[in-house]
Structure formats: structure tokens, C-alpha cells
Amino acid sequence: NKPAAPAAQSTAENKPADNGTAATDQTKTSSIDKSTLTEMPMGNIRVDDLKGTTVYGANDAEIGSIGDVVLTPENKPDAVIVEVGGFLGIGAKEVAVGMDKLKFMTDKNGKKYLYTNFTKEQLQAQTAYDKSSYAANRDQQRMMLK
């Protein structure tokens, strides 16, 4: 979770007790009141803003986090790279999820959430993202929301 340090620092100012409680946050995923979240306008989102975002799947289960964003040749976001499974970033599988229908949400403290309708099993069964062959195999490596 090192790339998410800047985001963690900004929320730590508001909630000093937040530092060691990341593990407990994960147990409360179902208690996040989605009605308090607002959708982030895609036009204003920078790639660096998306890295570290927690990804939720079917039934609002936490399924991973965004490790990177793939850009098109025109420098537009094409897919987010979701790190699925693993522990503390070790052994995680990277899966590309197309940006087309993704909705990024944010809470009043600026913490970001991505809700999808995928299950962890669907992501783990997906062809892994491979930076060197993504352009040639985009259709196989890029999952799309239906």
C-alpha cells in the first residue's frame, strides 16, 4: 500500500486515529453508506488520483485496489489495473478493467471508491494484464462492464 501514502496522509489529518486501522476498515466495507458518496466527474480525474483506489465488486465485497492506469495513444485512460488477491501487494494478480462504464465515487474526506459488478472470482479467472502485450491483446486482457 505504499503508493496510497499521499491519500492516507490527507485523511490522517482529519482522523488522527486512522493510521493503524486500515485492517479494521476492510471489515466494515458493507457498512459504507453509498448514499453519502458522490460520483467523481471523469473529466477532472488525473491518473495519479486513481492509483490506490479501493475496488468493490458484486455485493459490495472488496476485491482489490487500483495499481495503475493504462492510457490510450491519445493519453486518455483506457483501463484501470486492479490488483486482485495477494496479501500486502505480494502475489496479487493484475487485471485490466476497461474505463468505459466505471463509476468512481468519493466521500466527504476525499477517499475514493470504485464499484463494479465483477466478483473476485471473475477477476481472478481473467487473463492477467501484461504491459508488454496489452496493445496487441487488448480484447483478451481488458474486462468490460456489461
Side-chain angles (χ1 to χ4, degrees):
N1 268 357
K2 291 280 185 252
Q9 287 167 355
S10 63
T11 55
E13 290 167 14
N14 303 338
K15 301 179 283 182
D18 211 22
N19 284 350
T21 56
T24 36
D25 283 351
Q26 292 168 356
T27 61
K28 295 188 293 192
T29 53
S30 60
S31 67
I32 293 171
D33 183 356
K34 284 206 269 189
S35 69
T36 65
L37 301 179
T38 53
E39 189 172 343
M40 294 172 65
M42 290 309 288
N44 309 345
I45 295 179
R46 295 188 350 261
V47 166
D48 287 345
D49 294 338
L50 300 181
K51 291 181 184 177
T53 298
T54 303
V55 181
Y56 296 93
N59 303 319
D60 297 343
E62 185 175 329
I63 54 176
S65 64
I66 296 177
D68 206 354
V69 178
V70 183
L71 299 177
T72 65
E74 297 80 36
N75 281 331
K76 300 272 185 235
D78 183 51
V80 292
I81 304 305
V82 179
E83 296 174 349
V84 185
F87 182 69
L88 300 177
I90 300 166
K93 177 178 181 177
E94 292 187 327
V95 178
V97 177
M99 290 288 287
D100 306 42
K101 295 182 182 171
L102 297 185
K103 276 191 184 165
F104 290 89
M105 309 296 281
T106 183
D107 65 17
K108 61 187 186 328
N109 297 319
K111 183 170 162 110
K112 289 178 266 319
Y113 306 85
L114 170 59
Y115 286 93
T116 73
N117 55 7
F118 296 122
T119 64
K120 193 173 216 170
E121 291 71 29
Q122 284 175 302
L123 288 178
Q124 287 176 325
Q126 168 67 6
T127 303
Y129 166 71
D130 178 355
K131 190 173 191 170
S132 63
S133 66
Y134 179 78
N137 299 313
R138 181 175 177 260
D139 291 346
Q140 290 83 22
Q141 290 186 24
R142 188 172 182 262
M143 284 185 88
M144 297 295 298
L145 285 177
K146 302 286 182 248

